[in-house]
């Protein structure tokens, strides 16, 4: 895409910057059902509770899907409410009560053959068939990982304003090109989000054996889900972010050569998704509707599965990067790409290590510089936007992350390891009984 330098229009710039802080948010949370003995539940998924509660890979894996909201709090509150609905429905089930397992790493399971693939009703049998294909290709054990997906879209008014500055574009094309470039920039930050939100350092030995983790590495990771042993494709994808067509074609290339069956099988930290059905055909035809961040571990200390301050930080990081992209779009900025796509994915997996900051002093320095740049950006933001929230609130969110770099005790993984190192399953089950 060719970028043009537009006329300096103070009012237009102010409106565009104001739109950056707005947006729409949604959360998807996966959680396993567990019985009173600490084993993965093998009972049928409870039906008819809500159209926002479904199953995911296995019959025992619940998926909570929030609506789309213009603030994070409402999305988080709805996930908490949906979990309460499930908890009430399964607590007094005939044959023994069940509970919601609030960790990315699974509870006990007897053997891989006992993991029950999700059984969808008539009219949706293709979903079960697809999961059978995944089980054959990747194994059922790795499918037991659970996590949180954070969905974000910019307000439509932003793109309408931007279109006035670049009228040679159609609105759908402009949106898709914007999201591709934003995803490109954010992929360079995926490692940072992993380092800040990792919360799965402990797992049952049988699970670790099942996903191929050597015993000498059982204590090495803050997030097994984001580690090299997580749920990844059997190859290392390298997508093109040159423009929207190149992005779609790079995914299509992996489908055509048989590496993946569909775009849904692209297990990637950040994905661009269309409105409606997530197919490559729909994406190509209708363009990008929102961006999905998929690297968040379940945080057992939060009912929504993710700390609200972490989501706020991700939001402010996106705004910070979107402002850089806006300057680039107008020909006044220059974003230097430091890593190739392959290197970014490698960094992402390295950031899942328990001692990542200690092992990578350059990454530590880079992260601290970024946080300082964000603080400086938001100090100046109010000069460009009509309305600006209290700076102190944003600075507190940024400082919350900075302390995770400087103080290992502030990291979720360190807190969880300290709490459950005696017996991950037993200690958590005792907590469930007395919560």
């Amino acid at each position: 895409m060719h970028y043009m330098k537009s006329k300096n229009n103070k009012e237009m710039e102010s409106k565009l910057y104001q739109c950056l802080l707005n947006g729409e948010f949604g959360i998807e949370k996966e959680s396993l059902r567990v019985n009173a003995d600490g084993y993965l539940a093998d009972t049928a998924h409870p039906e008819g509770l809500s159209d926002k509660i479904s199953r995911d890979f296995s019959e025992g894996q619940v998926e909570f899907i929030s609506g789309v909201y213009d603030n994070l709090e409402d999305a988080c509150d709805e996930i908490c409410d949906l979990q309460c609905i499930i908890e009430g429905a399964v607590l007094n089930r005939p044959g023994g009560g069940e509970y919601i397992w609030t960790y990315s790493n699974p509870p006990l399971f007897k053997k891989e053959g006992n993991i029950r693939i999700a059984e969808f009703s008539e009219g949706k049998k293709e979903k079960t068939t697809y999961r059978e294909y995944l089980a054959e290709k990747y194994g059922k054990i790795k499918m037991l990982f659970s996590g949180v997906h954070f969905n974000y879209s910019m307000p439509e008014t932003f793109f309408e304003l931007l279109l006035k500055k670049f009228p040679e574009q159609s609105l759908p094309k402009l949106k898709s090109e914007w999201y591709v470039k934003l995803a490109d920039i954010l992929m360079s930050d995926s490692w940072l989000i992993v380092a800040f939100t990792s919360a799965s350092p402990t797992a049952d030995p049988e699970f670790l054996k099942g996903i191929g983790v050597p015993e000498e590495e059982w204590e090495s990771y803050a997030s097994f889900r984001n580690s090299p042993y997580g749920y990844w494709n059997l190859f290392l994808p390298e997508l093109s972010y040159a423009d929207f067509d190149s992005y779609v074609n790079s995914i299509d290339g992996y489908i055509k050569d048989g590496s993946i069956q569909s775009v849904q099988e692209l297990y990637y930290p950040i994905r661009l998704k269309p409105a409606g059905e997530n197919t490559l055909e729909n994406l190509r035809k209708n363009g990008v509707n929102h961006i999905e961040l998929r690297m968040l571990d379940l945080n057992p200390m939060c009912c929504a599965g993710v700390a609200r301050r972490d989501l706020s930080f991700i939001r402010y990081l996106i705004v910070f990067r979107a402002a850089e992209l806006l300057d680039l779009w107008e020909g006044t900025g220059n974003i230097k790409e430091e890593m190739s796509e392959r290197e970014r994915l490698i960094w992402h997996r390295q950031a899942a290590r328990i001692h990542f900051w200690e092992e990578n002093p350059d990454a530590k320095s880079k992260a601290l510089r970024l946080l300082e740049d964000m603080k400086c950006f938001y100090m100046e933001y109010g000069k460009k936007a009509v309305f600006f929230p209290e700076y102190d609130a944003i600075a507190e969110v940024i400082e919350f992350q900075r302390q995770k770099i400087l103080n290992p005790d502030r990291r979720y993984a360190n807190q969880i390891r300290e709490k459950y190192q005696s017996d991950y399953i037993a200690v958590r089950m005792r907590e469930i009984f007395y919560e």
Side-chain angles (χ1 to χ4, degrees):
M1 179 170 184
H2 300 288
Y3 300 105
M4 299 170 52
K5 188 171 182 178
S6 62
K7 295 180 180 179
N8 184 18
N9 186 319
K10 272 280 189 183
E11 183 179 356
M12 178 73 77
E13 180 186 52
S14 180
K15 289 180 179 178
L16 282 167
Y17 264 78
Q18 182 58 54
C19 286
L20 290 180
L21 263 182
N22 299 327
E24 294 185 324
F25 312 95
I27 299 172
E28 301 167 45
K29 175 187 174 183
E30 304 155 342
S31 293
L32 295 168
R33 289 183 290 111
V34 59
N35 64 28
D37 295 324
Y39 281 87
L40 176 68
D42 59 4
T43 52
H45 172 79
E47 300 282 4
L49 298 176
S50 169
D51 59 0
K52 295 181 178 181
I53 298 174
S54 184
R55 29 163 101 65
D56 204 323
F57 169 77
S58 73
E59 189 71 4
Q61 188 175 45
V62 184
E63 183 176 34
F64 307 97
I65 306 169
S66 81
V68 179
Y69 296 97
D70 60 8
N71 67 83
L72 291 168
E73 290 294 324
D74 287 347
C76 290
D77 288 346
E78 182 169 30
I79 293 295
C80 295
D81 292 342
L82 292 171
Q83 178 158 316
C84 286
I85 292 173
I86 278 284
E87 288 174 334
V90 302
L91 181 60
N92 297 307
R93 274 193 151 184
E98 295 174 358
Y99 310 87
I100 297 300
W101 189 252
T102 54
Y103 289 86
S104 285
N105 298 333
L108 300 171
F109 59 95
K110 294 177 181 178
K111 57 183 179 179
E112 184 172 7
N114 288 347
I115 299 172
R116 186 174 171 183
I117 292 174
E119 299 168 10
F120 290 89
S121 59
E122 291 296 331
K124 298 181 179 180
K125 289 295 186 183
E126 73 281 356
K127 291 187 175 184
T128 298
T129 302
Y130 175 62
R131 282 154 177 77
E132 291 170 345
Y133 155 78
L134 296 177
E136 179 68 24
K137 186 171 182 177
Y138 299 96
K140 293 182 183 179
I141 295 177
K142 196 164 285 192
M143 302 287 185
L144 295 179
F145 277 121
S146 296
V148 172
H149 299 173
F150 176 52
N151 297 304
Y152 167 82
S153 60
M154 300 192 67
E156 197 70 13
T157 50
F158 172 82
F159 295 108
E160 292 169 354
L161 288 168
L162 197 60
L163 187 63
K164 292 180 180 179
K165 304 187 81 170
F166 302 96
E168 75 280 2
Q169 295 278 331
S170 68
L171 185 59
K173 183 71 171 178
L174 179 68
K175 287 176 62 176
S176 293
E177 298 291 355
W178 173 273
Y179 278 120
V180 166
K181 293 301 181 183
L182 183 60
D184 186 18
I185 298 170
L186 290 175
M187 267 302 300
S188 295
D189 296 320
S190 70
W191 66 272
L192 184 68
I193 297 172
V194 170
F196 284 154
T197 60
S198 291
S200 58
T202 310
D204 178 64
E206 292 305 312
F207 173 70
L208 295 179
K209 292 176 186 175
I211 62 173
V213 184
E215 189 170 353
E216 61 270 19
E217 294 191 52
W218 287 2
E219 303 293 324
S220 298
Y221 290 96
S223 171
F224 284 100
R225 180 171 163 268
N226 285 291
S227 79
Y229 304 101
Y231 193 175
W232 298 95
N233 293 113
L234 304 181
F235 63 101
L236 202 61
E238 294 188 64
L239 304 184
S240 172
Y241 296 91
D243 52 40
F244 175 65
D245 289 338
S246 297
Y247 175 81
V248 174
N249 289 338
S250 63
I251 298 174
D252 196 27
Y254 290 120
I255 296 174
K256 288 177 177 176
D257 71 15
S259 298
I260 56 176
Q261 188 181 89
S262 69
V263 68
Q264 296 179 55
E265 196 187 338
L266 184 66
Y267 300 122
Y268 216 65
I270 296 175
R271 293 201 300 202
L272 297 175
K273 301 181 77 171
E277 189 177 6
N278 182 28
T279 66
L280 200 64
E281 293 73 23
N282 188 22
L283 181 62
R284 192 189 295 275
K285 178 180 178 181
N286 296 311
V288 180
N289 178 70
H290 63 275
I291 191 166
E292 179 187 49
L293 281 69
R294 301 163 47 84
M295 72 287 287
L296 301 175
D297 271 356
L298 284 179
N299 188 328
M301 296 173 266
C302 310
C303 68
V306 59
R308 302 184 187 212
R309 281 191 290 186
D310 289 333
L311 288 180
S312 292
F313 172 77
I314 294 171
R315 175 196 177 192
Y316 296 138
L317 177 63
I318 292 174
V319 171
F320 173 70
R321 293 308 193 190
E324 290 184 327
L325 180 55
L326 182 58
D327 290 341
L328 178 66
W329 214 265
E330 296 183 331
T332 60
N334 178 31
I335 300 175
K336 182 181 178 182
E337 178 53 63
E338 299 177 354
M339 292 185 286
S340 69
E341 187 70 355
R342 180 172 291 268
E343 288 171 329
R344 295 192 296 196
L345 289 172
I346 291 172
W347 266 61
H348 179 104
R349 299 181 188 190
Q350 288 178 341
R353 293 184 64 82
I354 192 75
H355 298 300
F356 174 66
W357 299 121
E358 295 87 342
E359 295 169 347
N360 296 273
D362 290 344
K364 182 176 180 178
S365 298
K366 182 177 180 179
L368 290 172
R369 285 197 304 271
L370 173 60
L371 297 184
E372 189 61 34
D373 288 345
M374 287 179 65
K375 288 179 68 175
C376 292
F377 165 77
Y378 282 107
M379 288 181 70
E380 295 295 319
Y381 191 98
K383 298 177 182 178
K384 294 186 176 181
V386 177
F387 166 77
F388 181 63
E390 186 178 352
Y391 168 75
D392 288 347
I394 297 178
E396 189 278 331
V397 168
I398 295 173
E399 180 62 21
F400 178 65
Q401 306 301 337
R402 194 175 80 94
Q403 288 302 317
K404 294 178 189 175
I405 301 174
L406 301 177
N407 187 350
D409 292 340
R410 298 290 183 90
R411 304 174 197 166
Y412 303 126
N414 294 62
Q415 296 174 39
I416 291 168
R417 173 173 284 183
E418 178 68 24
K419 189 173 186 180
Y420 300 112
Q421 60 185 347
S422 59
D423 190 328
Y424 164 62
I425 304 293
V427 175
R428 180 56 190 147
M429 290 308 298
R430 286 199 296 271
E431 287 180 331
I432 287 176
F433 292 143
Y434 292 106
E435 282 179 346

PDB file of all heavy atoms in Angstrom, residues 200-225:
ATOM      1  N   SER A 200       0.746 -20.523  33.976  1.00  0.00           N
ATOM      2  CA  SER A 200       0.576 -21.981  34.002  1.00  0.00           C
ATOM      3  C   SER A 200       1.925 -22.679  34.145  1.00  0.00           C
ATOM      4  O   SER A 200       2.349 -23.411  33.250  1.00  0.00           O
ATOM      5  CB  SER A 200      -0.155 -22.467  32.745  1.00  0.00           C
ATOM      6  OG  SER A 200       0.545 -22.082  31.577  1.00  0.00           O
ATOM      7  N   PRO A 201       2.605 -22.480  35.282  1.00  0.00           N
ATOM      8  CA  PRO A 201       3.943 -23.051  35.456  1.00  0.00           C
ATOM      9  C   PRO A 201       3.955 -24.478  35.981  1.00  0.00           C
ATOM     10  O   PRO A 201       5.004 -25.128  35.983  1.00  0.00           O
ATOM     11  CB  PRO A 201       4.572 -22.116  36.484  1.00  0.00           C
ATOM     12  CG  PRO A 201       3.406 -21.742  37.351  1.00  0.00           C
ATOM     13  CD  PRO A 201       2.230 -21.631  36.416  1.00  0.00           C
ATOM     14  N   THR A 202       2.803 -24.944  36.452  1.00  0.00           N
ATOM     15  CA  THR A 202       2.727 -26.241  37.127  1.00  0.00           C
ATOM     16  C   THR A 202       1.722 -27.125  36.407  1.00  0.00           C
ATOM     17  O   THR A 202       0.667 -26.661  35.992  1.00  0.00           O
ATOM     18  CB  THR A 202       2.295 -26.058  38.595  1.00  0.00           C
ATOM     19  OG1 THR A 202       3.103 -25.054  39.197  1.00  0.00           O
ATOM     20  CG2 THR A 202       2.415 -27.344  39.365  1.00  0.00           C
ATOM     21  N   ALA A 203       2.050 -28.408  36.284  1.00  0.00           N
ATOM     22  CA  ALA A 203       1.153 -29.330  35.601  1.00  0.00           C
ATOM     23  C   ALA A 203       1.362 -30.737  36.134  1.00  0.00           C
ATOM     24  O   ALA A 203       2.406 -31.062  36.705  1.00  0.00           O
ATOM     25  CB  ALA A 203       1.390 -29.297  34.094  1.00  0.00           C
ATOM     26  N   ASP A 204       0.359 -31.566  35.926  1.00  0.00           N
ATOM     27  CA  ASP A 204       0.471 -32.970  36.311  1.00  0.00           C
ATOM     28  C   ASP A 204       1.525 -33.650  35.431  1.00  0.00           C
ATOM     29  O   ASP A 204       1.561 -33.441  34.216  1.00  0.00           O
ATOM     30  CB  ASP A 204      -0.887 -33.654  36.121  1.00  0.00           C
ATOM     31  CG  ASP A 204      -0.836 -35.122  36.467  1.00  0.00           C
ATOM     32  OD1 ASP A 204      -0.584 -35.438  37.638  1.00  0.00           O
ATOM     33  OD2 ASP A 204      -1.023 -35.950  35.549  1.00  0.00           O
ATOM     34  N   PRO A 205       2.414 -34.455  36.010  1.00  0.00           N
ATOM     35  CA  PRO A 205       3.481 -35.100  35.226  1.00  0.00           C
ATOM     36  C   PRO A 205       2.981 -35.895  34.025  1.00  0.00           C
ATOM     37  O   PRO A 205       3.628 -35.904  32.970  1.00  0.00           O
ATOM     38  CB  PRO A 205       4.166 -36.001  36.250  1.00  0.00           C
ATOM     39  CG  PRO A 205       3.943 -35.319  37.563  1.00  0.00           C
ATOM     40  CD  PRO A 205       2.567 -34.713  37.455  1.00  0.00           C
ATOM     41  N   GLU A 206       1.832 -36.555  34.172  1.00  0.00           N
ATOM     42  CA  GLU A 206       1.319 -37.348  33.052  1.00  0.00           C
ATOM     43  C   GLU A 206       0.951 -36.467  31.870  1.00  0.00           C
ATOM     44  O   GLU A 206       1.102 -36.869  30.710  1.00  0.00           O
ATOM     45  CB  GLU A 206       0.111 -38.178  33.504  1.00  0.00           C
ATOM     46  CG  GLU A 206       0.456 -39.290  34.483  1.00  0.00           C
ATOM     47  CD  GLU A 206       1.538 -40.228  33.934  1.00  0.00           C
ATOM     48  OE1 GLU A 206       1.400 -40.661  32.762  1.00  0.00           O
ATOM     49  OE2 GLU A 206       2.510 -40.503  34.660  1.00  0.00           O
ATOM     50  N   PHE A 207       0.467 -35.264  32.165  1.00  0.00           N
ATOM     51  CA  PHE A 207       0.150 -34.334  31.090  1.00  0.00           C
ATOM     52  C   PHE A 207       1.431 -33.877  30.400  1.00  0.00           C
ATOM     53  O   PHE A 207       1.510 -33.847  29.159  1.00  0.00           O
ATOM     54  CB  PHE A 207      -0.608 -33.130  31.638  1.00  0.00           C
ATOM     55  CG  PHE A 207      -0.823 -32.032  30.624  1.00  0.00           C
ATOM     56  CD1 PHE A 207      -1.686 -32.207  29.565  1.00  0.00           C
ATOM     57  CD2 PHE A 207      -0.146 -30.826  30.725  1.00  0.00           C
ATOM     58  CE1 PHE A 207      -1.877 -31.214  28.615  1.00  0.00           C
ATOM     59  CE2 PHE A 207      -0.337 -29.816  29.795  1.00  0.00           C
ATOM     60  CZ  PHE A 207      -1.199 -30.010  28.747  1.00  0.00           C
ATOM     61  N   LEU A 208       2.449 -33.537  31.182  1.00  0.00           N
ATOM     62  CA  LEU A 208       3.708 -33.077  30.607  1.00  0.00           C
ATOM     63  C   LEU A 208       4.356 -34.169  29.761  1.00  0.00           C
ATOM     64  O   LEU A 208       4.907 -33.903  28.682  1.00  0.00           O
ATOM     65  CB  LEU A 208       4.656 -32.615  31.709  1.00  0.00           C
ATOM     66  CG  LEU A 208       4.188 -31.384  32.508  1.00  0.00           C
ATOM     67  CD1 LEU A 208       5.190 -31.031  33.593  1.00  0.00           C
ATOM     68  CD2 LEU A 208       3.953 -30.197  31.588  1.00  0.00           C
ATOM     69  N   LYS A 209       4.281 -35.398  30.237  1.00  0.00           N
ATOM     70  CA  LYS A 209       4.790 -36.505  29.427  1.00  0.00           C
ATOM     71  C   LYS A 209       3.999 -36.626  28.132  1.00  0.00           C
ATOM     72  O   LYS A 209       4.557 -36.877  27.060  1.00  0.00           O
ATOM     73  CB  LYS A 209       4.692 -37.820  30.206  1.00  0.00           C
ATOM     74  CG  LYS A 209       5.621 -37.926  31.411  1.00  0.00           C
ATOM     75  CD  LYS A 209       5.363 -39.218  32.169  1.00  0.00           C
ATOM     76  CE  LYS A 209       6.156 -39.298  33.462  1.00  0.00           C
ATOM     77  NZ  LYS A 209       5.804 -40.522  34.243  1.00  0.00           N
ATOM     78  N   GLY A 210       2.690 -36.449  28.247  1.00  0.00           N
ATOM     79  CA  GLY A 210       1.816 -36.613  27.091  1.00  0.00           C
ATOM     80  C   GLY A 210       2.055 -35.595  25.996  1.00  0.00           C
ATOM     81  O   GLY A 210       1.821 -35.890  24.814  1.00  0.00           O
ATOM     82  N   ILE A 211       2.520 -34.380  26.355  1.00  0.00           N
ATOM     83  CA  ILE A 211       2.780 -33.374  25.337  1.00  0.00           C
ATOM     84  C   ILE A 211       4.263 -33.311  24.975  1.00  0.00           C
ATOM     85  O   ILE A 211       4.692 -32.436  24.219  1.00  0.00           O
ATOM     86  CB  ILE A 211       2.271 -31.977  25.763  1.00  0.00           C
ATOM     87  CG1 ILE A 211       2.992 -31.480  27.017  1.00  0.00           C
ATOM     88  CG2 ILE A 211       0.773 -31.995  25.967  1.00  0.00           C
ATOM     89  CD1 ILE A 211       2.650 -30.019  27.373  1.00  0.00           C
ATOM     90  N   GLY A 212       5.050 -34.251  25.529  1.00  0.00           N
ATOM     91  CA  GLY A 212       6.433 -34.393  25.103  1.00  0.00           C
ATOM     92  C   GLY A 212       7.451 -33.519  25.788  1.00  0.00           C
ATOM     93  O   GLY A 212       8.535 -33.285  25.241  1.00  0.00           O
ATOM     94  N   VAL A 213       7.151 -33.012  27.004  1.00  0.00           N
ATOM     95  CA  VAL A 213       8.109 -32.168  27.715  1.00  0.00           C
ATOM     96  C   VAL A 213       9.115 -33.058  28.442  1.00  0.00           C
ATOM     97  O   VAL A 213       8.718 -33.864  29.294  1.00  0.00           O
ATOM     98  CB  VAL A 213       7.402 -31.256  28.740  1.00  0.00           C
ATOM     99  CG1 VAL A 213       8.423 -30.318  29.403  1.00  0.00           C
ATOM    100  CG2 VAL A 213       6.287 -30.451  28.086  1.00  0.00           C
ATOM    101  N   PRO A 214      10.418 -32.948  28.155  1.00  0.00           N
ATOM    102  CA  PRO A 214      11.414 -33.742  28.883  1.00  0.00           C
ATOM    103  C   PRO A 214      11.383 -33.390  30.367  1.00  0.00           C
ATOM    104  O   PRO A 214      11.132 -32.241  30.748  1.00  0.00           O
ATOM    105  CB  PRO A 214      12.738 -33.308  28.247  1.00  0.00           C
ATOM    106  CG  PRO A 214      12.377 -32.692  26.941  1.00  0.00           C
ATOM    107  CD  PRO A 214      11.029 -32.076  27.138  1.00  0.00           C
ATOM    108  N   GLU A 215      11.635 -34.370  31.215  1.00  0.00           N
ATOM    109  CA  GLU A 215      11.538 -34.150  32.655  1.00  0.00           C
ATOM    110  C   GLU A 215      12.438 -33.019  33.137  1.00  0.00           C
ATOM    111  O   GLU A 215      12.078 -32.268  34.060  1.00  0.00           O
ATOM    112  CB  GLU A 215      11.865 -35.438  33.412  1.00  0.00           C
ATOM    113  CG  GLU A 215      11.588 -35.352  34.896  1.00  0.00           C
ATOM    114  CD  GLU A 215      11.688 -36.696  35.597  1.00  0.00           C
ATOM    115  OE1 GLU A 215      11.851 -37.715  34.892  1.00  0.00           O
ATOM    116  OE2 GLU A 215      11.590 -36.729  36.834  1.00  0.00           O
ATOM    117  N   GLU A 216      13.575 -32.835  32.502  1.00  0.00           N
ATOM    118  CA  GLU A 216      14.491 -31.777  32.938  1.00  0.00           C
ATOM    119  C   GLU A 216      13.942 -30.379  32.634  1.00  0.00           C
ATOM    120  O   GLU A 216      14.478 -29.377  33.122  1.00  0.00           O
ATOM    121  CB  GLU A 216      15.860 -31.932  32.275  1.00  0.00           C
ATOM    122  CG  GLU A 216      15.888 -31.843  30.767  1.00  0.00           C
ATOM    123  CD  GLU A 216      15.696 -33.198  30.077  1.00  0.00           C
ATOM    124  OE1 GLU A 216      15.188 -34.133  30.742  1.00  0.00           O
ATOM    125  OE2 GLU A 216      16.057 -33.318  28.889  1.00  0.00           O
ATOM    126  N   GLU A 217      12.837 -30.291  31.870  1.00  0.00           N
ATOM    127  CA  GLU A 217      12.239 -28.987  31.562  1.00  0.00           C
ATOM    128  C   GLU A 217      10.899 -28.768  32.272  1.00  0.00           C
ATOM    129  O   GLU A 217      10.206 -27.787  31.993  1.00  0.00           O
ATOM    130  CB  GLU A 217      12.055 -28.849  30.048  1.00  0.00           C
ATOM    131  CG  GLU A 217      13.362 -28.790  29.266  1.00  0.00           C
ATOM    132  CD  GLU A 217      13.150 -28.397  27.816  1.00  0.00           C
ATOM    133  OE1 GLU A 217      12.491 -27.372  27.575  1.00  0.00           O
ATOM    134  OE2 GLU A 217      13.624 -29.138  26.932  1.00  0.00           O
ATOM    135  N   TRP A 218      10.541 -29.640  33.184  1.00  0.00           N
ATOM    136  CA  TRP A 218       9.259 -29.504  33.865  1.00  0.00           C
ATOM    137  C   TRP A 218       9.165 -28.237  34.709  1.00  0.00           C
ATOM    138  O   TRP A 218       8.072 -27.754  34.984  1.00  0.00           O
ATOM    139  CB  TRP A 218       8.993 -30.733  34.738  1.00  0.00           C
ATOM    140  CG  TRP A 218       8.631 -31.957  33.939  1.00  0.00           C
ATOM    141  CD1 TRP A 218       8.560 -32.068  32.585  1.00  0.00           C
ATOM    142  CD2 TRP A 218       8.281 -33.240  34.455  1.00  0.00           C
ATOM    143  NE1 TRP A 218       8.204 -33.335  32.208  1.00  0.00           N
ATOM    144  CE2 TRP A 218       8.027 -34.090  33.345  1.00  0.00           C
ATOM    145  CE3 TRP A 218       8.176 -33.766  35.737  1.00  0.00           C
ATOM    146  CZ2 TRP A 218       7.665 -35.421  33.490  1.00  0.00           C
ATOM    147  CZ3 TRP A 218       7.818 -35.115  35.883  1.00  0.00           C
ATOM    148  CH2 TRP A 218       7.558 -35.916  34.775  1.00  0.00           C
ATOM    149  N   GLU A 219      10.297 -27.708  35.125  1.00  0.00           N
ATOM    150  CA  GLU A 219      10.295 -26.497  35.947  1.00  0.00           C
ATOM    151  C   GLU A 219      10.723 -25.259  35.153  1.00  0.00           C
ATOM    152  O   GLU A 219      11.011 -24.214  35.745  1.00  0.00           O
ATOM    153  CB  GLU A 219      11.241 -26.676  37.146  1.00  0.00           C
ATOM    154  CG  GLU A 219      10.931 -27.866  38.032  1.00  0.00           C
ATOM    155  CD  GLU A 219       9.612 -27.693  38.768  1.00  0.00           C
ATOM    156  OE1 GLU A 219       9.312 -26.540  39.147  1.00  0.00           O
ATOM    157  OE2 GLU A 219       8.885 -28.696  38.939  1.00  0.00           O
ATOM    158  N   SER A 220      10.755 -25.356  33.842  1.00  0.00           N
ATOM    159  CA  SER A 220      11.374 -24.307  33.023  1.00  0.00           C
ATOM    160  C   SER A 220      10.408 -23.254  32.503  1.00  0.00           C
ATOM    161  O   SER A 220      10.843 -22.212  32.002  1.00  0.00           O
ATOM    162  CB  SER A 220      12.102 -24.934  31.824  1.00  0.00           C
ATOM    163  OG  SER A 220      13.142 -25.784  32.257  1.00  0.00           O
ATOM    164  N   TYR A 221       9.100 -23.513  32.578  1.00  0.00           N
ATOM    165  CA  TYR A 221       8.174 -22.638  31.876  1.00  0.00           C
ATOM    166  C   TYR A 221       7.145 -21.994  32.800  1.00  0.00           C
ATOM    167  O   TYR A 221       6.654 -22.606  33.748  1.00  0.00           O
ATOM    168  CB  TYR A 221       7.455 -23.397  30.759  1.00  0.00           C
ATOM    169  CG  TYR A 221       8.404 -23.736  29.629  1.00  0.00           C
ATOM    170  CD1 TYR A 221       9.024 -24.981  29.556  1.00  0.00           C
ATOM    171  CD2 TYR A 221       8.720 -22.777  28.672  1.00  0.00           C
ATOM    172  CE1 TYR A 221       9.927 -25.266  28.540  1.00  0.00           C
ATOM    173  CE2 TYR A 221       9.617 -23.067  27.654  1.00  0.00           C
ATOM    174  CZ  TYR A 221      10.217 -24.303  27.598  1.00  0.00           C
ATOM    175  OH  TYR A 221      11.115 -24.581  26.597  1.00  0.00           O
ATOM    176  N   ALA A 222       6.829 -20.745  32.485  1.00  0.00           N
ATOM    177  CA  ALA A 222       5.744 -20.026  33.150  1.00  0.00           C
ATOM    178  C   ALA A 222       4.426 -20.286  32.438  1.00  0.00           C
ATOM    179  O   ALA A 222       3.357 -20.100  33.006  1.00  0.00           O
ATOM    180  CB  ALA A 222       6.044 -18.523  33.160  1.00  0.00           C
ATOM    181  N   SER A 223       4.502 -20.703  31.184  1.00  0.00           N
ATOM    182  CA  SER A 223       3.309 -21.015  30.391  1.00  0.00           C
ATOM    183  C   SER A 223       3.650 -22.143  29.425  1.00  0.00           C
ATOM    184  O   SER A 223       4.306 -21.919  28.403  1.00  0.00           O
ATOM    185  CB  SER A 223       2.841 -19.784  29.603  1.00  0.00           C
ATOM    186  OG  SER A 223       1.825 -20.139  28.683  1.00  0.00           O
ATOM    187  N   PHE A 224       3.215 -23.353  29.742  1.00  0.00           N
ATOM    188  CA  PHE A 224       3.447 -24.472  28.819  1.00  0.00           C
ATOM    189  C   PHE A 224       2.631 -24.288  27.547  1.00  0.00           C
ATOM    190  O   PHE A 224       3.026 -24.736  26.476  1.00  0.00           O
ATOM    191  CB  PHE A 224       3.095 -25.795  29.501  1.00  0.00           C
ATOM    192  CG  PHE A 224       4.129 -26.245  30.489  1.00  0.00           C
ATOM    193  CD1 PHE A 224       3.944 -26.047  31.847  1.00  0.00           C
ATOM    194  CD2 PHE A 224       5.302 -26.835  30.065  1.00  0.00           C
ATOM    195  CE1 PHE A 224       4.909 -26.447  32.765  1.00  0.00           C
ATOM    196  CE2 PHE A 224       6.277 -27.239  30.966  1.00  0.00           C
ATOM    197  CZ  PHE A 224       6.071 -27.043  32.319  1.00  0.00           C
ATOM    198  N   ARG A 225       1.512 -23.624  27.657  1.00  0.00           N
ATOM    199  CA  ARG A 225       0.647 -23.407  26.505  1.00  0.00           C
ATOM    200  C   ARG A 225       1.333 -22.560  25.437  1.00  0.00           C
ATOM    201  O   ARG A 225       1.127 -22.770  24.237  1.00  0.00           O
ATOM    202  CB  ARG A 225      -0.636 -22.736  26.996  1.00  0.00           C
ATOM    203  CG  ARG A 225      -1.675 -22.416  25.956  1.00  0.00           C
ATOM    204  CD  ARG A 225      -2.961 -21.974  26.633  1.00  0.00           C
ATOM    205  NE  ARG A 225      -3.837 -21.287  25.708  1.00  0.00           N
ATOM    206  CZ  ARG A 225      -3.843 -19.977  25.533  1.00  0.00           C
ATOM    207  NH1 ARG A 225      -3.011 -19.209  26.219  1.00  0.00           N
ATOM    208  NH2 ARG A 225      -4.676 -19.419  24.686  1.00  0.00           N
TER     209      ARG A 225
END
